[in-house]
Amino acid sequence: QVQLVESGGGSVQTGGSLRRSCTAPEHIYRSNCMGWFHQAPGKEREGFALECVRIGTISYTPAVNDRFTISHDNAKNTVYLQMTRLKPEDSGMYYCAAAEYAYQFWRGDNYWGRGTQVTVSS
């Protein structure tokens, strides 16, 4: 079920930056951890960043390698993804997701945004 509203995405050159946002209904934002998934063409959808504001934790997969940053604005019920030093392999769909517990997020048992396309050209 699509319940999260996303913005951002687009096309950039290698080394460029993009900023994504994801706004959740208040009842979802206040009760869930929120983060981001990436799905490269022909590959599985994989989570790579998660912020649990209620307990003050941020988690990244090793593949992020300090290039992406997740943040939030409680007043706007919104989480952000700042992507820098983008590479062609970063291309694909990016989805916002939310889950009450981290283990649910990482296994994909989430509320979802509809996703947006990111294209990084050489």
Side-chain angles (χ1 to χ4, degrees):
Q1 184 178 15
V2 177
Q3 296 184 266
L4 312 178
V5 179
E6 301 181 44
S7 64
S11 298
V12 298
Q13 293 182 318
T14 297
S17 300
L18 287 171
R19 187 170 186 262
R20 301 286 316 285
S21 67
C22 174
T23 300
E26 184 176 350
H27 70 96
I28 292 178
Y29 185 87
R30 68 173 57 176
S31 302
N32 290 274
C33 305
M34 296 182 64
W36 297 91
F37 279 68
H38 174 232
Q39 186 169 23
K43 297 184 179 179
E44 298 289 330
R45 188 181 301 184
E46 297 184 348
F48 62 89
L50 179 67
E51 182 165 20
C52 296
V53 175
R54 292 173 297 159
I55 58 176
T57 61
I58 295 175
S59 300
Y60 300 103
T61 63
V64 169
N65 196 28
D66 298 322
R67 296 188 298 116
F68 299 169
T69 302
I70 189 170
S71 60
H72 69 276
D73 186 340
N74 288 337
K76 298 180 179 180
N77 299 329
T78 297
V79 296
Y80 302 93
L81 180 69
Q82 181 68 44
M83 301 186 286
T84 62
R85 293 180 288 151
L86 285 161
K87 306 173 182 179
E89 64 199 67
D90 297 321
S91 297
M93 293 293 295
Y94 283 80
Y95 299 86
C96 180
E100 184 175 2
Y101 301 105
Y103 80 90
Q104 296 172 311
F105 174 87
W106 294 115
R107 77 175 187 177
D109 187 16
N110 299 316
Y111 300 102
W112 292 100
R114 68 179 180 179
T116 55
Q117 179 71 41
V118 170
T119 301
V120 184
S121 60
S122 301

